[in-house]
Amino acid sequence: MSFTGTDKYIASEELQLAVNAAVTLERPLLIKGEPGTGKTMLAEEVAQSLGTELIPWHIKSTTKAQQGLYEYDAVSRLRDSQLGDPKVQDISNYIVKGKLWHAFEAEQRPVLLIDEIDKADIEFPNDLLQELDRMEFYVYETRQTVKATQRPVVIITSNNEKELPDAFLRRCFFHYIRFPDKEEMARIVDVHFPDLKKNLLNQALESFFNLREIPGLKKKPSTSELIDWLKLLVAEDISPETLQNKGSKQAIPPLYGALLKNEQDIHLFEKLAFMARR
């Protein structure tokens, strides 16, 4: 099993090495990076590259580690017992399998994505230590041990909203996806817009990276926002000359609402543009 990127996902050499190292070491791959740098998409493309199933577990602030293993639906069992349903005699009918359970019993080695783990409370990673380490867990209601038939490829993403416990970090292979430079970004854009005119691409990238360099931005535009912006530029038939006239760091590019996503950054940008005109 070796990952080299896909037709839809341009992976740097460092990222390829990280994925393959985690697979070889049989450790979870912890991926960090700016929002919009393709952390979640990485898991999708690794699964496609390896020709295997992707099992996504998207974490929310209310998500508990136990939900990834299984949940016991006591309410349904009580209701069925009141209705005289004979299936209440078998408690396994009320065990709801979680994402880890599905990954552990998969016939072919799957890719398990634990997406945005830092959204959950601080105890969430610690509550999964043993299960991810030993690749097994115990179901108390049915008195059975669920053990992985083969160790899944585990990819964990984090936006650095909170620190992860040291004990959890020790069990992971870590990689930070650095933001692409202009050359790498041009390759990424080419995947989405293979027929984009070179002049338009060059001017768009110059405006985009100039915007990212403005000090004080609350949220710098990311790769996904650049793709959205380019899609609008093509749809509105914006010429390279239009971007060139607005290519300075202080000028406002057309359709900038696709790049700036909060009023603070828009006000800052408009203020800089106004000062530049004066």
Side-chain angles (χ1 to χ4, degrees):
M1 301 176 75
S2 180
F3 177 69
T4 58
T6 67
D7 293 339
K8 296 181 180 179
Y9 192 92
I10 303 298
S12 66
E13 184 176 346
E14 294 84 0
L15 180 55
Q16 295 176 35
L17 289 172
V19 172
N20 294 320
V23 172
T24 300
L25 293 173
E26 296 187 332
R27 289 188 177 276
L29 174 62
L30 175 60
I31 295 288
K32 292 186 179 183
E34 288 185 33
T37 50
K39 299 186 295 296
T40 301
M41 188 178 180
L42 171 65
E44 299 170 358
E45 297 305 314
V46 168
Q48 179 182 329
S49 174
L50 302 180
T52 190
E53 176 188 9
L54 172 68
I55 300 177
W57 185 16
H58 300 292
I59 306 304
K60 301 178 181 179
S61 59
T62 56
T63 304
K64 301 299 180 184
Q66 181 64 34
Q67 295 171 319
L69 308 180
Y70 71 93
E71 292 183 276
Y72 169 49
D73 191 354
V75 175
S76 292
R77 193 182 188 201
L78 175 61
R79 183 188 63 241
D80 289 345
S81 66
Q82 292 171 338
L83 296 174
D85 195 320
K87 74 176 184 179
V88 299
Q89 303 302 322
D90 186 357
I91 196 172
S92 65
N93 290 322
Y94 303 93
I95 299 296
V96 181
K97 297 178 181 180
K99 299 293 186 178
L100 266 71
W101 192 327
H102 286 297
F104 285 3
E105 67 178 8
E107 294 182 4
Q108 183 181 357
R109 188 182 191 185
V111 173
L112 172 64
L113 168 64
I114 304 178
D115 195 29
E116 298 189 333
I117 193 172
D118 51 325
K119 281 188 175 179
D121 65 55
I122 191 63
E123 291 304 319
F124 180 90
N126 282 334
D127 291 341
L128 288 177
L129 284 180
Q130 296 299 324
E131 288 76 14
L132 290 177
D133 204 22
R134 298 181 180 179
M135 286 289 149
E136 65 178 42
F137 61 88
Y138 186 71
V139 184
Y140 292 94
E141 289 79 3
T142 60
R143 299 179 183 179
Q144 69 177 117
T145 298
V146 177
K147 191 168 185 177
T149 55
Q150 49 199 333
R151 183 177 286 265
V153 177
V154 181
I155 296 179
I156 303 170
T157 71
S158 169
N159 286 325
N160 253 351
E161 291 185 9
K162 63 171 67 80
E163 290 295 323
L164 299 175
D166 289 345
F168 181 80
L169 295 175
R170 283 198 301 271
R171 288 165 167 81
C172 297
F173 188 94
F174 173 76
H175 181 74
Y176 183 87
I177 298 181
R178 61 179 179 81
F179 199 82
D181 57 25
K182 285 186 180 180
E183 183 179 342
E184 291 174 321
M185 189 64 80
R187 293 171 56 206
I188 293 171
V189 169
D190 187 60
V191 170
H192 297 271
F193 303 99
D195 300 322
L196 190 65
K197 294 178 181 178
K198 198 168 186 65
N199 286 345
L200 179 60
L201 172 61
N202 291 337
Q203 290 301 326
L205 289 180
E206 182 178 352
S207 296
F208 174 76
F209 280 98
N210 283 343
L211 180 56
R212 279 183 56 86
E213 290 173 6
I214 293 177
L217 283 182
K218 186 176 181 180
K219 183 191 180 304
K220 295 182 179 182
S222 66
T223 306
S224 61
E225 280 134 8
L226 171 62
I227 299 302
D228 288 344
W229 186 50
L230 286 170
K231 186 175 182 179
L232 288 173
L233 294 181
V234 172
E236 296 296 327
D237 197 23
I238 302 296
S239 68
E241 292 73 27
T242 302
L243 294 180
Q244 190 172 18
N245 294 335
K246 300 177 179 294
S248 72
K249 295 183 180 181
Q250 292 80 20
I252 299 179
L255 304 166
Y256 65 88
L259 299 172
L260 300 176
K261 297 302 178 72
N262 63 72
E263 62 277 9
Q264 176 181 316
D265 289 345
I266 291 174
H267 291 329
L268 172 62
F269 205 46
E270 290 175 342
K271 182 178 180 181
L272 290 173
F274 176 74
M275 293 173 63
R277 287 195 296 269
R278 293 184 64 183

